[in-house]
């Protein structure tokens, strides 16, 4: 497999690892999303200091209003964070 295929598989596996913990295995509940973020993106979460910020993040991700994060909503978040990181490192190189 290519690096990109491996990365895509890893993203899917991480989503499923957390979404299978409670309820609908195709969606992340708020508690599952919180665990995923804390375990898988600890440096990012260092900047989220309060529950209100996490609640706002979840609300922003929940485009269909079902109070859960499906895979498409999760991928939107991952894409946004990846773009932000890319831009940050581009500025660091300049």
């Amino acid at each position: 497999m290519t690096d990109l295929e491996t990365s895509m598989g890893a993203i899917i596996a991480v989503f499923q690892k957390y979404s299978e913990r409670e309820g609908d295995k195709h969606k992340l509940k708020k508690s599952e999303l919180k665990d995923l973020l804390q375990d898988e993106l600890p440096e990012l979460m260092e900047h989220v200091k309060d529950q209100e910020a996490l609640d706002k993040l979840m609300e922003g991700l929940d485009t269909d209003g079902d109070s859960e994060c499906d895979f498409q909503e999760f991928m939107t978040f991952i894409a946004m964070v990846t773009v932000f990181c890319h831009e940050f490192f581009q500025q660091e190189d300049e």
Side-chain angles (χ1 to χ4, degrees), residues 3 6-7 9-10 30 43 46 49 55 70 76 84 86 88:
D3 289 344
T6 301
S7 298
K30 187 185 295 186
E43 290 185 36
E46 286 179 8
K49 299 296 182 191
D55 290 342
D70 64 26
T76 299
F84 174 75
H86 177 71
F88 175 81

Side-chain angles (χ1 to χ4, degrees), residues 37 41 44 57 61 73-82:
L37 294 174
L41 295 171
L44 174 67
L57 172 64
L61 292 176
E73 293 164 337
F74 175 71
M75 284 305 301
T76 299
F77 170 71
I78 294 298
M80 289 178 355
V81 170
T82 303

